[in-house]
Amino acid sequence: MEMAFDAQTEVSDEALLIGYGNGDASAARLLTLRLTPRLYGHALRVLGDGAEAEDVAQEAMLRLWRIAPKWRQGEAKVTTWLYRVVANLCTDRLRKRRDTGLDAADETADNSPGVEAQMLASARASALEAALQSLPDRQRQAVVLRHIEGLSNPEIAEILEISVEAVESLTARGKRQLAKQLSGQRAALGYEDDGTR
Amino acid sequence: MKMTERDEQIKDEAALDALFDAVRADQPVPPAALFERVAQDALREMPQMAPMASPKRRGLGWVLAALGGWPTVTGLATATVAGVWLGYTEPGSLNAVTGAIWPSADSAYGLGDLVPSYDYLLAGDDA
């Protein structure tokens, strides 16, 4: 994939954004390749719906392009700003789902794919994603940012606009809930006897 | 030995950590169409730089401006033409002026005229 090309560049997101704001099309290309997968991945895990995740990622990037000429250097990390946009867009969509009575999360949980038919790794990922959908929105966002995206608690606090203590509480409760949800599936997921990965 | 609730909990947490590792290693790849749409948005929204003023000025307009405009150039042209005319015609009256300033060879000043003490010095030598 083209990400390998981007991996060779050491230019910061912010420098690229400033370049884009000055009319550099190649900076736009690098930012697209570098940031879109992360935003899409996060939105997909939070929303559990590919089409919606695409819309959210595109909308977040569009907002980035629009703010580029006004971007204040050193004020915020580009990724933190973007994750915050994605988190808010996801929250809006989840709220709308609840209001309209449509819940893709339930659908995902009900239609969990047959483990036997898939590779074990894929089954594990599907099981986790299905379990994630059962968490309350904020817990899910915090758990995904902490344990899958690998962000630090202070950064998550900035993204979700809450305190670091609140992040710790959300992730701890989320993790407990997930472990409970998945406890019945340890055997199917290949974790029963050795207790390890 | 019967497994305690705490053991169960530890196993659940270990399994969950393993799941996180598996999922982290298996990042979802966005469809190519999404990259394309994002890139198109980027190009559409990209700020256009204001066109730079060309450093090269066309024609001799800049010379005219540098000299102070047409009135100055008219004066310069008149002076040039007058100079050329004087050079060709050599009017007689000018000779009179030149002669007054620059005397002819027979009425030239001697050194004694210019430095009076020189004569005295010469006389002193004779004595």
Side-chain angles (χ1 to χ4, degrees):
Chain A
M1 190 177 156
E2 285 179 293
M3 294 302 288
F5 167 69
D6 178 48
Q8 293 171 3
T9 66
E10 289 174 7
V11 186
S12 71
D13 294 339
E14 188 167 61
L16 288 172
L17 190 60
I18 303 297
Y20 169 77
N22 287 318
D24 181 357
S26 63
R29 186 174 171 273
L30 284 175
L31 283 171
T32 301
L33 291 173
R34 189 183 285 184
L35 301 173
T36 309
R38 296 177 70 177
L39 305 182
Y40 171 78
H42 181 67
L44 182 63
R45 281 169 182 135
V46 172
L47 296 170
D49 181 292
E52 282 201 276
E54 282 187 46
D55 288 347
V56 165
Q58 187 180 358
E59 173 65 24
M61 289 300 286
L62 182 62
R63 292 188 189 186
L64 182 71
W65 305 137
R66 286 182 177 161
I67 204 170
K70 293 174 273 177
W71 185 263
R72 293 187 193 170
Q73 288 188 60
E75 217 167 76
K77 262 178 83 178
V78 174
T79 46
T80 305
W81 185 89
L82 274 171
Y83 273 124
R84 189 187 301 157
V85 172
V86 169
N88 289 334
L89 289 171
C90 287
T91 302
D92 289 347
R93 283 173 179 260
L94 292 168
R95 195 174 295 142
K96 265 185 204 161
R97 271 187 204 169
R98 271 195 300 274
D99 292 347
T100 53
L102 295 170
D103 200 333
D106 289 345
E107 229 170 87
T108 313
D110 290 345
N111 300 332
S112 50
V115 177
E116 299 83 2
Q118 298 193 14
M119 298 287 289
L120 191 60
S122 174
R124 288 172 174 177
S126 302
L128 179 61
E129 278 158 21
L132 277 171
Q133 298 303 321
S134 71
L135 298 182
D137 300 348
R138 302 290 274 179
Q139 267 184 34
R140 191 186 319 155
Q141 297 242 29
V143 167
V144 170
L145 288 169
R146 181 77 189 92
H147 295 290
I148 299 178
E149 307 294 335
L151 302 188
S152 67
N153 284 345
E155 203 172 351
I156 299 168
E158 211 179 315
I159 291 166
L160 298 180
E161 296 172 285
I162 54 177
S163 67
V164 174
E165 292 74 24
V167 172
E168 286 166 358
S169 166
L170 279 175
T171 50
R173 276 185 285 142
K175 235 184 135 180
R176 268 201 305 274
Q177 178 70 18
L178 284 176
K180 206 169 147 192
Q181 286 261 329
L182 294 163
S183 64
Q185 299 178 51
R186 282 209 312 263
L189 297 174
Y191 294 124
E192 188 55 88
D193 295 328
D194 54 2
T196 62
R197 51 213 73 173
Chain B
M1 183 179 155
K2 197 172 181 182
M3 192 172 279
T4 64
E5 197 175 318
R6 179 68 193 141
D7 290 336
E8 279 290 318
Q9 200 180 334
I10 289 169
K11 277 201 165 188
D12 285 344
E13 283 172 10
L16 182 59
D17 287 336
L19 273 179
F20 282 135
D21 289 345
V23 169
R24 206 177 298 125
D26 183 27
Q27 287 285 338
V29 178
L34 175 61
F35 284 112
E36 207 163 299
R37 288 203 301 276
V38 171
Q40 278 170 0
D41 286 347
L43 293 179
R44 196 183 58 244
E45 298 289 333
M46 189 162 71
Q48 298 299 314
M49 295 300 288
M52 298 278 285
S54 169
K56 289 179 186 171
R57 290 173 188 269
R58 288 180 184 169
L60 292 175
W62 67 277
V63 178
L64 187 66
L67 289 173
W70 281 113
T72 316
V73 172
T74 320
L76 277 174
T78 308
T80 308
V81 170
V84 170
W85 179 75
L86 287 175
Y88 272 106
T89 57
E90 197 185 355
S93 56
L94 277 180
N95 285 338
V97 175
T98 310
I101 298 170
W102 193 257
S104 57
D106 54 333
S107 62
Y109 292 109
L111 186 59
D113 296 321
L114 299 171
V115 188
S117 58
Y118 186 68
D119 277 345
Y120 177 75
L121 190 67
L122 289 175
D125 282 348
D126 291 341

